[in-house]
Amino acid sequence: MAFGFEEKGSKFADSYRIFLTKDGEYVSPFHDIPLFASGSGAGAVGEPLVLNMVVEVGRYTNAKMEISKELKLNPIKQDVKKGKMRFIANVFPNKGYPWNYGAFPQTWEDPKNVDQHTGFQGDNDPLDVCEISDIIPPAGTVIQVKVLGILAMIDEGETDWKVIAINMSDPNISEYSNIQDVERMKPGLLKRTVEWFKYYKVPDGKPVNKFAFNEEFKDQQFAAQIVKHTHESWKALIAKESDNAGISLANATIQLSSEKISQDAAKDTLGQQSALSGSTPLPSTIDTYFYVPNGI
C-alpha cells in the first residue's frame, strides 16, 4: 500500500490544500486510510500497537494545519480564525510544535458521547497524535507509528485525547515499548508536552487547558482502549448510525458506504482547486516568543 499527496493553492493562504492518495488514487485521509498498519493487531497485551498516522504538522513549524472535516475528500488545510490564517504562537522555550502532529484515520471523538474518563463530550475530530521521533516528515505523509501512551486533555470543555507515539522508522524504535520509555530516552519531553498543551492558546486570549488524571499520561494498553473506542465511533459515523455533525463522509474505498465516490468525481474535486503556486509570506510575528506570566 503506497501513500502520497498532492498540493493545491498557495501555502499559508486559505486556498492551500493537501489531497492524499493511496495506490495512486485520490482518497480521504479521514475515511480511506486504514487505521491499523498492515499486519498489526489491535494492541493485545504484550504486543505493540502499530497504526497509520496522517502527519498534519511538522515539528518546529507554526501553521495550524488539520484534516478538513467539512470539505469533500477531507484535504489537509490551514485553520482560519476570524478571517486570518492561524499560526500557533511560540510559547517559550518552544518553537512551534515540539513534535510532529497529526491524526489517526478512521477514528472520531463523538461530540454526543460523554467520555467516561473525563466527563466531557468529544471534540468532533479524529484522534490526535504527537509523534516524538527526530524524523520530520512533510505534512500529508502517512507514517506507521508505535503507540506508547496517551494524555487526557480538556480543551474548552471538550475531551481532546493526545496519543504519544513514535515513527516505526526511528533508529531507536526498539528502545520504546511504553510511555515510561519516553522519559528514559527523552527526559523532560512528557513534562514539556503537558506544559505546551496547557498554555499554547493563552497568547490568543484563551484560558489555560485542563487535564484528567492529574496531568498524568496513561500507558499503551489504556491508549489502545481509547483508539478502539474512537474507531468504533468512526464506524458508526461512516455507517450513518450517528449524526455526521457537519462532517463530509465522501470516500473512495468503503464498499458499503452510501457516500462512496468514483475517481472521476474525486478528480473533479481536485480540478476545482487552484493550481499550486508560491507560498504566501509568513506573518512578521512568526519568530516572536510568548512568555507565560507567573501565576497563570
Side-chain angles (χ1 to χ4, degrees):
M1 193 176 297
F3 300 106
F5 61 85
E6 185 173 328
E7 299 169 281
K8 294 287 188 178
S10 178
K11 197 169 184 179
F12 309 127
D14 196 27
S15 63
Y16 187 63
R17 306 281 188 272
I18 303 174
F19 289 90
L20 270 67
T21 62
K22 182 174 70 173
D23 296 330
E25 297 193 337
Y26 297 111
V27 295
S28 160
F30 198 156
H31 308 305
D32 290 312
I33 307 296
L35 171 60
F36 296 100
S38 177
S40 71
V45 175
E47 294 182 1
L49 178 59
V50 181
L51 306 176
N52 286 317
M53 170 189 172
V54 179
V55 178
E56 298 169 311
V57 183
R59 185 161 56 117
Y60 302 145
T61 62
N62 299 76
K64 181 67 173 72
M65 306 294 295
E66 58 188 12
I67 293 171
S68 170
K69 296 174 298 195
E70 300 80 13
L71 297 178
K72 185 178 288 188
L73 288 179
N74 311 111
I76 296 171
K77 65 182 294 289
Q78 190 169 350
D79 191 22
V80 179
K81 290 291 185 183
K82 298 181 179 179
K84 294 183 178 181
M85 308 309 297
R86 186 177 174 195
F87 293 89
I88 297 298
N90 300 311
V91 178
F92 182 81
N94 300 292
K95 176 67 175 75
Y97 289 74
W99 6 247
N100 300 308
Y101 193 66
F104 285 138
Q106 298 185 346
T107 63
W108 181 49
E109 296 192 63
D110 188 344
K112 291 189 176 181
N113 175 62
V114 176
D115 189 279
Q116 63 176 319
H117 303 290
T118 68
F120 292 92
Q121 294 172 309
D123 69 350
N124 197 34
D125 285 333
L127 195 57
D128 293 325
V129 191
C130 303
E131 193 280 301
I132 64 172
S133 172
D134 291 337
I135 302 168
I136 306 179
T141 305
V142 177
I143 61 175
Q144 293 186 351
V145 300
K146 181 190 291 187
V147 172
L148 301 174
I150 196 167
L151 177 68
M153 188 173 89
I154 312 301
D155 186 352
E156 299 184 44
E158 296 178 331
T159 301
D160 192 1
W161 291 101
K162 306 296 182 183
V163 177
I164 306 300
I166 187 165
N167 193 331
M168 289 297 292
S169 296
D170 188 280
N172 296 312
I173 188 66
S174 63
E175 296 287 342
Y176 293 89
S177 297
N178 214 318
I179 194 66
Q180 293 82 4
D181 295 320
V182 179
E183 182 61 26
R184 176 174 60 85
M185 295 294 292
K186 298 191 173 189
L189 180 59
L190 295 181
K191 179 181 178 181
R192 181 64 53 79
T193 294
V194 173
E195 291 175 348
W196 193 90
F197 279 119
K198 183 180 290 186
Y199 299 120
Y200 84 105
K201 288 187 177 181
V202 172
D204 299 324
K206 296 293 183 68
V208 172
N209 281 321
K210 307 294 183 182
F211 304 85
F213 306 114
N214 295 317
E215 302 181 359
E216 294 179 359
F217 290 83
K218 306 301 283 185
D219 65 12
Q220 185 199 69
Q221 292 303 313
F222 189 101
Q225 294 304 310
I226 302 301
V227 169
K228 179 180 178 181
H229 177 74
T230 55
H231 185 47
E232 292 300 320
S233 294
W234 170 81
K235 288 180 180 178
L237 172 69
I238 201 69
K240 293 189 174 181
E241 295 171 1
S242 296
D243 183 353
N244 72 344
I247 295 172
S248 171
L249 303 181
N251 66 86
T253 63
I254 303 171
Q255 296 298 326
L256 299 179
S257 171
S258 62
E259 300 288 337
K260 184 180 178 183
I261 63 174
S262 67
Q263 278 302 294
D264 285 341
K267 290 175 182 177
D268 285 344
T269 297
L270 269 80
Q272 296 169 16
Q273 311 300 314
S274 302
L276 181 64
S277 58
S279 298
T280 300
L282 289 167
S284 60
T285 56
I286 198 68
D287 293 322
T288 301
Y289 275 85
F290 177 85
Y291 295 82
V292 177
N294 291 328
I296 286 187

